[in-house]
Amino acid sequence: MFGRKKTSSRFIKSSGIDPDEVLLDAFNLPSFDTNQFEGRVERSIRGRIPHVVGGIAMLILVGFLFQAWNLQVVKGEALVLLSQQNNLDHEILFAERGNVYDRNQNELVWNVPPIIEEGNLHETYSLRSYTEKEGFAHLLGFIGYPEKDSSGFWWRTDYVGKDGIEASLNSILEGTNGVRIIEVDALNNIQSQNTIEAPVDGKSVTLSIDTNIQQALFKAVK
C-alpha cells in the first residue's frame, strides 16, 4: 500500500496530475462506467482552443482577401463599366404654382417657364412674374423659391408664400412636386428617364379686385 503511494507520488511529480485523481483511477476504476468515461483522467483541451479559433479566423481572412481580389482584379473592369453605365439619379419635378387673376380675368401673377439647356440635368422650377401696374405690389406679395445648400442638396423644395395673396392663399396656389428617375452614363449624358410620380400643379384664383379701379385708386392716393 505504501509502495503504491510512493510510486504515485513520483508519477505525480513528473506528470503534474493531482494525487486524488491518480488514486481514484488506481483503486476505483473498476466501479465506474468506462463507457461514460467515469474514473478516467481527461486531457485538457485548453491548449487546442487558440489553435482552432486561429484557424477559423485565418480561413475567414483568406476568404475576404480572395473575394476582394476577385472583385477588384478579375471583375474590376466589368464592374466599373457597369457602374458608369447604370448611374441612377432622382430628379424633382417642380409643380407649377397657380396664377392669380382679377375679376375680369386679367393676369396679375403667372409663371415663367425655365430655360432648359440640352443635356442639363439640374432640377429647374418656374419663376413668378407679377403685373407691372401700380398699386399691386403690397396686395399680391411675394414668394420664397426652392433652395439648395452649399453641397448642392435641396433643403427647400417648395414655393413659400411670404406676403400678400401669395401668403394668404398659399395652400390653394401651391402644388405637389413629383419625382423622376434618370439614368446617365459616365459623361453625365441622359440614357433614359422615367417619371414615377407626376407633379400636381396648384390651382389658380380669381380675385374680386378690378385692375382699372385698383390702379386709379393708387394714383389718386399717390
Side-chain angles (χ1 to χ4, degrees):
M1 187 68 173
F2 293 101
R4 291 183 179 180
K5 289 184 179 179
K6 291 180 181 179
T7 303
S8 299
S9 299
R10 288 195 299 270
F11 176 75
I12 293 167
K13 292 179 181 179
S14 61
S15 61
I17 302 177
D18 189 88
D20 293 336
E21 295 179 353
V22 175
L23 294 177
L24 181 65
D25 288 341
F27 294 102
N28 302 322
L29 185 59
S31 64
F32 288 97
D33 186 355
T34 56
N35 293 327
Q36 300 295 325
F37 299 99
E38 293 181 353
R40 296 181 180 275
V41 179
E42 298 180 7
R43 182 179 298 177
S44 175
I45 62 172
R46 295 178 182 175
R48 293 186 237 170
I49 293 178
H51 298 289
V52 174
V53 175
I56 295 175
M58 183 63 67
L59 290 176
I60 295 175
L61 178 60
V62 171
F64 275 120
L65 292 177
F66 175 77
Q67 186 65 12
W69 177 82
N70 184 47
L71 292 176
Q72 296 183 11
V73 179
V74 179
K75 299 180 180 179
E77 185 176 353
L79 291 176
V80 169
L81 181 60
L82 182 63
S83 65
Q84 292 176 346
Q85 294 177 346
N86 296 295
N87 183 23
L88 299 179
D89 192 16
H90 288 77
E91 182 182 42
I92 299 176
L93 299 177
F94 290 97
E96 291 292 317
R97 196 169 174 84
N99 295 342
V100 179
Y101 302 93
D102 75 347
R103 64 189 304 167
N104 299 315
Q105 293 301 302
N106 294 312
E107 264 186 340
L108 300 177
V109 185
W110 60 94
N111 299 306
V112 178
I115 299 176
I116 303 177
E117 298 179 357
E118 185 177 356
N120 182 20
L121 299 179
H122 299 291
E123 299 89 347
T124 53
Y125 51 84
S126 298
L127 301 178
R128 294 291 266 178
S129 185
Y130 299 88
T131 181
E132 296 181 355
K133 295 181 180 179
E134 296 179 322
F136 286 92
H138 68 288
L139 174 66
L140 300 177
F142 63 98
I143 64 170
Y145 291 99
E147 293 188 25
K148 291 182 177 181
D149 59 18
S150 57
S151 299
F153 296 100
W154 293 101
W155 66 269
R156 183 166 69 195
T157 58
D158 299 312
Y159 298 91
V160 179
K162 297 289 188 177
D163 200 4
I165 295 298
E166 292 279 29
S168 61
L169 300 181
N170 185 72
S171 60
I172 300 175
L173 295 171
E174 69 176 351
T176 303
N177 294 335
V179 179
R180 176 171 59 195
I181 294 181
I182 57 177
E183 182 181 4
V184 297
D185 59 15
L187 300 177
N188 218 29
N189 297 318
I190 297 177
Q191 300 299 308
S192 64
Q193 51 186 351
N194 182 32
T195 300
I196 59 176
E197 186 176 347
V200 179
D201 295 338
K203 297 180 180 179
S204 298
V205 296
T206 300
L207 306 179
S208 61
I209 296 173
D210 185 295
T211 299
N212 295 327
I213 296 177
Q214 178 71 13
Q215 194 172 19
L217 179 61
F218 177 80
K219 290 181 180 180
V221 173
K222 182 180 179 181

